[in-house]
C-alpha cells in the first residue's frame, strides 16, 4: 500500500504545474533543441545534451520531489536526493569528462531510443489526456520524474560509445519504483516506464559488450 491516495497524488501535479508555469513550455523548447543536437554530433553538442539531462534531473529532484511530492510522501526527500545525485552524475560524466557522445539514429538500438524520446515528449501527454489526465493534473515532459526517466533512457540509447554504467543505476531504480506505483495509482501512461529500464539497460550493456569484444578481436 502507498502512504497516500490517488487523489492526493494527482493534486500534487495540479499544484506543481500551476506553480511552475510556464516552465513546462521551456522544457519542451529545451527538449526539442536537445533532439536537434543529435543531428549535429560533436564533443560540444554532447556536453550540451548532458547539461540538459543534468538540469532535468536536478530540477525534478530538488523542486518536484523535495518541495511538492514530499508534502504527501516522506520518501520523496530520498527520491529528491537520488534525482539530484543523478543530475550531478550527468554533469560530471557528460560535461566534465565528456563521456557522452550522441548521434542520429542509425540502427535498431538508436531507433528504440528515438521511440522512447517521442513517447516521453509526445505520446505520453497524448495518452494521459486520452485516459482523462488533462493539464494541470498530468505529469509533464522535462519537469516530472517518469517522463524525464523515459526521455533519459531514450537519449542514452542514442549514445555512440561506452560510458559509466553508474549513469544507469538511478534511472533503472526509478523505472521500477515509478513504474510499479503507476499500476497502483492508475497512471497508465507510466506503465511503459516499468519496462523501459530493463529494455534500455539490457540493450546498452549488450551494445557495450559487443563493442568491447570487437575491439579485443
Amino acid at each position: 500500500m502507498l502512504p497516500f491516495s490517488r487523489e492526493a497524488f494527482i493534486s500534487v501535479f495540479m499544484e506543481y504545474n500551476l506553480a511552475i508555469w510556464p516552465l513546462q513550455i521551456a522544457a519542451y523548447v529545451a527538449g526539442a533543441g536537445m533532439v536537434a543536437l543529435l543531428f549535429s554530433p560533436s564533443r560540444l553538442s554532447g556536453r550540451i545534451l548532458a547539461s540538459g539531462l543534468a538540469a532535468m534531473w536536478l530540477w525534478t529532484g530538488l523542486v518536484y520531489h523535495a518541495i511538492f511530492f514530499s508534502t504527501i510522501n516522506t520518501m520523496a526527500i530520498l527520491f529528491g536526493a537520488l534525482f539530484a545525485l543523478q543530475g550531478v552524475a550527468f554533469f560530471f560524466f557528460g560535461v566534465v569528462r565528456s563521456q557522452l557522445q550522441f548521434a542520429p539514429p542509425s540502427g535498431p538500438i538508436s531507433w528504440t531510443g528515438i521511440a522512447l524520446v517521442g513517447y516521453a515528449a509526445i505520446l505520453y501527454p497524448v495518452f494521459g489526456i486520452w485516459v482523462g489526465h488533462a493539464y494541470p493534473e498530468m505529469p509533464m515532459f522535462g519537469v516530472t520524474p517518469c517522463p524525464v526517466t523515459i526521455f533519459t533512457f531514450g537519449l542514452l540509447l542514442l549514445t555512440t560509445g561506452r560510458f559509466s554504467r553508474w549513469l544507469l543505476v538511478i534511472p533503472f531504480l526509478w523505472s521500477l519504483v515509478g513504474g510499479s506505483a503507476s499500476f497502483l495509482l492508475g497512471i497508465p501512461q507510466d506503465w511503459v516506464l516499468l519496462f523501459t529500464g530493463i529494455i534500455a539497460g539490457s540493450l546498452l550493456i549488450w551494445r557495450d559488450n559487443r563493442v568491447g569484444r570487437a575491439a579485443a578481436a
Side-chain angles (χ1 to χ4, degrees):
M1 291 292 294
L2 296 172
F4 50 86
S5 67
R6 182 180 184 278
E7 291 71 23
F9 184 65
I10 295 298
S11 70
V12 168
F13 283 116
M14 179 180 291
E15 181 183 356
Y16 174 67
N17 280 321
L18 293 175
I20 69 169
W21 176 263
L23 189 63
Q24 297 91 335
I25 296 175
Y28 264 103
V29 171
M34 292 167 72
V35 172
L37 284 173
L38 293 172
F39 297 89
S40 300
S42 67
R43 190 168 293 274
L44 176 60
S45 65
R47 286 193 169 106
I48 295 173
L49 280 160
S51 296
L53 288 173
M56 288 181 177
W57 282 83
L58 283 167
W59 175 272
T60 306
L62 298 177
V63 181
Y64 172 78
H65 275 306
I67 297 177
F68 287 86
F69 190 34
S70 63
T71 60
I72 64 169
N73 185 8
T74 55
M75 286 294 293
I77 299 298
L78 173 60
F79 298 152
L82 290 174
F83 267 65
L85 178 61
Q86 182 69 25
V88 172
F90 272 124
F91 187 83
F92 177 72
F93 289 110
V95 180
V96 176
R97 300 188 64 176
S98 194
Q99 281 192 6
L100 296 175
Q101 299 301 317
F102 302 83
S106 60
I109 292 178
S110 55
W111 278 110
T112 301
I114 285 291
L116 290 177
V117 166
Y119 182 82
I122 301 171
L123 295 181
Y124 185 99
V126 171
F127 190 14
I129 293 171
W130 183 64
V131 298
H133 300 154
Y135 182 85
E137 298 179 355
M138 63 194 299
M140 294 295 294
F141 169 79
V143 293
T144 53
C146 296
V148 165
T149 304
I150 296 170
F151 182 69
T152 296
F153 276 121
L155 285 184
L156 290 178
L157 287 170
L158 286 150
T159 54
T160 58
R162 303 181 70 173
F163 55 83
S164 174
R165 290 183 182 174
W166 285 110
L167 289 175
L168 297 174
V169 174
I170 293 174
F172 176 76
L173 291 176
W174 184 256
S175 73
L176 299 181
V177 172
S180 300
S182 69
F183 284 89
L184 298 174
L185 293 166
I187 312 292
Q189 62 266 45
D190 284 340
W191 293 350
V192 170
L193 178 64
L194 183 60
F195 309 102
T196 296
I198 297 171
I199 294 171
S202 298
L203 287 173
L204 286 165
I205 291 171
W206 177 81
R207 183 197 69 182
D208 289 351
N209 288 339
R210 184 187 63 176
V211 171
R213 288 194 298 269

